[in-house]
Every structure is written in C-alpha cells, then in structure tokens.
Amino acid sequence: GNYMPVILFQCALMSMAARTLYLIIYDMCKKHNIALFGFLLYSFSIVLSGMSVITYSDQVALIFPLLVLRLFQLLDNKKQTMLKVIGIIVCSYIALIIKPPTVIPLIAILLYAAVHSINKINKNIIKYIACVAICIAILITGHGMVKDRFIAYSGLDIKKGGGMSPWHFVMMGLNKDTQGLYSEEDVNFSLEAISNNKNGSAQKAVAISRANELIDSGEFLRHLERKILNSLGDGSFFWHQATSFTSGEFEDLNYHVTPFLKDIYLREGKIDKIAFQQSIWLTMLFISLFSIFLKKNKEQTVMILSLIGFVLFMLIFEAGPRTLMNFMSYYIILAMMVLSNLSDRIKRRFNKQQN
C-alpha cells in the first residue's frame, strides 16, 4: 500500500550502506572473505531489527557515517581530492540536519587532520582549509533559502519554532526513572514549554535540578553507567522495547509472507531472534575492543575518535539504542580489522611451522 515506497526507500539506503561497508573493509585489509563476513553481519543486524523500515532520523541517516568514512579513505589515491573534501563536508552537513550525532565523524576527521597537519603547513594544506571554510560558510548561509524552497515545493505544513531545544534531550538524559531513555512525559513537558514560549529555559531548569539531585544522592556515576549500557547493550536498536509499533492486530495480507514476517518482527513471533541479534552485536562489540592494540591507520583512528564522541554524546544527551544503528558499522569494521590481523598472525605462525 502507501507504506511500500517507504520500505523500498529504506531498503535502498540499507543496501548502499552495506555495499559501502564492504568496500571500506576490503580496501583496509584486502581480504574478500573478511569484507564479505562484515557485510553479512551488518546486513543481518540491520534487517532483523524492525527499526530498519521505520523512517526515523536514525534510519534515514544510516548511510552518512559510512559515506564520510569512505570518502576520507579515498583521499589516499590523490585524485579529485578537492571534490572528495567537498563531498565529506556536504554529506556531514546533510547528516547534521537529519541526525545531529552523525556529524561526529566529520569532527573526528578535522581533529585527525589538525593533529597531523600542525607541523606540515604548506600551500596545499591552506588550500584545503580554505575549501572547508568556504563550503561550511556556503552551507550555513544557504541553509535557510534551500529549506524554504523545499518546503514551498513539497507543500509540507511546517510549524515554525516547534523544534525541541537541545536542553530537552539533556533533560531526558538525566531522567532517573527512565535511565536516560525516551520519556513521553518529558516530551509533553517540552511541548507545553514551547506553547508557553519557554522552550529551552524550562527544560534547562529541570535538567539542572535532576543533575543536582543525582549528584546529591551519589547516583550520578551510576546513572551514566546505566545510560552507556542502555545505549550499547541493545542489538535490536530499541525495536523490542518500542512496543507501540507492534501493538494491535495485523491482517495476513499474504498468507505465505505475512506470517513469516510476523515471526521475525513481532515480540510474540515463533523465531527467537533476540538471542541471535544480541549474540551478533555483543560479539562484534567485544572483538572491536581489541582494535586499540592494532597498528593504527587513518581510518581506524577516525573511527575510534568517532566512537568516543558517540559515547560522550550519549552521556550528555538522551540515551539512544536507536542511534547505535548509525555507529554500529564502525564497530563491525574495527572487529573485522581485528579478525584480519588475527588471520595474518595464524598464517605466519603456520608458515613458520611448515618451514
């Protein structure tokens, strides 16, 4: 029905993201089997979560961290470098509009470039700095005009001034009762603050009050620990907790396909996919931790910096199992690098024994 174009759009995004992940892994380790294994793990992790076909900003922004990393990786071949730099900036800008945390890879790239260029200032470096500055200036100044044109063309009824303040997400992140997760009560509070022209100030007051309460009770660090566990501990990306999407009765429009899809995506389905999803995700998370012992290249450094930024973002704002979907690809790539390194070590040891 009317939902099919949305599903097809999400499927196209996921397919492009999975293909981009494969290319990144292959160029990093030059092993087809490792790249294919990462591709399959990523595909299974995304497809088995019903969140993959829900058009939240998390899902729409799914491809951008991978696109930014891929363009950064392709800078090595020294061809059309300026065009790739512009592509990184534009992709990051679009990602920022859709899902703010997905701009973190750009920040990581800028940090990496700043550290590695600080003693190598020359005409080329100045040229790239100027290019980045001009791109950002054009995007910022042209943002309002492009948005207004798009709204006028699409016919969408956009309520001005209706956006949530950043303090809303800080406030939700400090909600002890929900352990920093989404809170309908907090959303209603912020909507009321917007209607009373107190957007930002009202949420800020509540956030400061909650922070002081957590500090005074000695539970602040424990609260942050729960937020990290909530953000990194759900391999379904919040699907099994988001019961509002799966409540009610669903008609079997196709007697062959629909029952199978119900078994996969509904909590009461016959297929036990929760254990499978968690085993994939927690295994990849555990293996990726060993990447800190690998010899770093620029892609690995940017991914590690990005994941540090992601964790810091989750500590400050609302805990986000859904946001993990955007950065899960980096964990898988790092895990594949660990497996590739392990494979090389085993081969070297085997060859020594043969000789």
Side-chain angles (χ1 to χ4, degrees):
N2 294 331
Y3 196 48
M4 185 53 69
V6 175
I7 295 176
L8 293 175
F9 174 72
Q10 290 298 132
C11 287
L13 282 181
M14 289 185 289
S15 298
M16 289 188 290
R19 173 62 176 168
T20 306
L21 177 133
Y22 171 87
L23 293 173
I24 291 170
I25 296 174
Y26 182 78
D27 278 2
M28 288 179 71
C29 69
K30 303 302 181 184
K31 294 183 178 71
H32 170 71
N33 55 343
I34 295 289
L36 182 60
F37 185 46
F39 171 87
L40 292 174
L41 286 174
Y42 181 77
S43 301
F44 275 122
S45 298
I46 295 295
V47 169
L48 288 177
S49 173
M51 297 304 297
S52 58
V53 292
I54 305 297
T55 48
Y56 276 177
S57 55
D58 312 86
Q59 288 77 345
V60 177
L62 189 70
I63 194 172
F64 289 104
L66 284 166
L67 278 180
V68 169
L69 183 64
R70 179 59 177 164
L71 288 169
F72 180 64
Q73 185 182 50
L74 290 175
L75 289 175
D76 285 341
N77 63 20
K78 308 298 182 182
K79 295 179 181 178
Q80 298 180 320
T81 303
M82 194 65 72
L83 189 61
K84 292 167 190 171
V85 171
I86 293 172
I88 290 172
I89 300 298
V90 171
C91 286
S92 300
Y93 174 73
I94 297 171
L96 175 63
I97 294 173
I98 298 172
K99 185 71 178 178
T102 53
V103 79
I104 291 174
L106 172 64
I107 298 172
I109 289 172
L110 294 177
L111 284 173
Y112 175 87
V115 170
H116 284 263
S117 304
I118 196 164
N119 295 321
K120 303 176 184 177
I121 298 297
N122 54 40
K123 288 184 179 180
N124 281 334
I125 297 295
I126 294 172
K127 182 173 66 175
Y128 291 130
I129 292 173
C131 174
V132 170
I134 291 170
C135 285
I136 292 174
I138 290 173
L139 290 171
I140 291 174
T141 54
H143 169 69
M145 181 179 67
V146 172
K147 186 175 77 171
D148 291 341
R149 290 274 183 93
F150 173 77
I151 292 172
Y153 176 78
S154 64
L156 294 172
D157 182 18
I158 305 295
K159 185 178 180 181
K160 293 186 177 181
M164 297 289 189
S165 162
W167 280 105
H168 162 77
F169 300 99
V170 176
M171 177 183 72
M172 279 211 296
L174 290 167
N175 191 324
K176 182 173 66 174
D177 296 332
T178 63
Q179 298 184 359
L181 291 169
Y182 175 84
S183 167
E184 189 71 29
E185 184 179 337
D186 284 349
V187 170
N188 292 333
F189 175 84
S190 290
L191 291 174
E192 185 178 348
I194 291 171
S195 63
N196 294 330
N197 294 320
K198 293 182 178 179
N199 189 22
S201 60
Q203 296 97 322
K204 180 180 178 180
V206 174
I208 293 173
S209 174
R210 287 178 177 178
N212 289 333
E213 183 183 339
L214 286 167
I215 292 170
D216 293 341
S217 63
E219 295 183 14
F220 188 73
L221 292 179
R222 177 61 178 161
H223 179 70
L224 295 182
E225 179 187 337
R226 293 192 192 102
K227 287 182 69 177
I228 291 296
L229 291 174
N230 285 330
S231 298
L232 298 179
D234 187 353
S236 75
F237 316 114
F238 202 63
W239 176 248
H240 298 303
Q241 300 178 59
T243 54
S244 59
F245 293 117
T246 57
S247 59
E249 295 293 327
F250 295 89
E251 183 182 353
D252 288 345
L253 298 178
N254 184 302
Y255 293 103
H256 298 288
V257 177
T258 307
F260 175 69
L261 293 176
K262 285 182 179 180
D263 285 339
I264 292 179
Y265 292 116
L266 300 187
R267 290 173 67 94
E268 60 273 16
K270 296 178 182 178
I271 300 175
D272 183 15
K273 62 279 177 187
I274 299 177
F276 184 59
Q277 286 174 305
Q278 286 296 88
S279 63
I280 290 178
W281 163 238
L282 294 177
T283 301
M284 290 302 100
L285 177 60
F286 175 73
I287 295 175
S288 68
L289 295 177
F290 290 93
S291 64
I292 61 175
F293 301 109
L294 298 179
K295 184 178 178 180
K296 304 295 184 296
N297 57 29
K298 65 186 182 71
E299 293 91 348
Q300 288 171 299
T301 303
V302 164
M303 282 188 286
I304 290 172
L305 287 174
S306 297
L307 295 178
I308 292 171
F310 164 62
V311 171
L312 290 175
F313 188 92
M314 293 299 105
L315 288 174
I316 297 170
F317 299 101
E318 171 195 359
R322 293 201 320 263
T323 307
L324 174 62
M325 182 178 280
N326 301 119
F327 290 93
M328 182 260 298
S329 56
Y330 283 11
Y331 286 102
I332 289 181
I333 294 171
L334 290 173
M336 293 304 102
M337 293 305 100
V338 173
L339 294 179
S340 175
N341 182 266
L342 180 62
S343 171
D344 291 339
R345 285 173 178 267
I346 293 172
K347 284 181 180 178
R348 285 196 297 267
R349 180 163 295 185
F350 179 77
N351 290 335
K352 282 183 180 180
Q353 290 176 350
Q354 290 291 98
N355 295 331

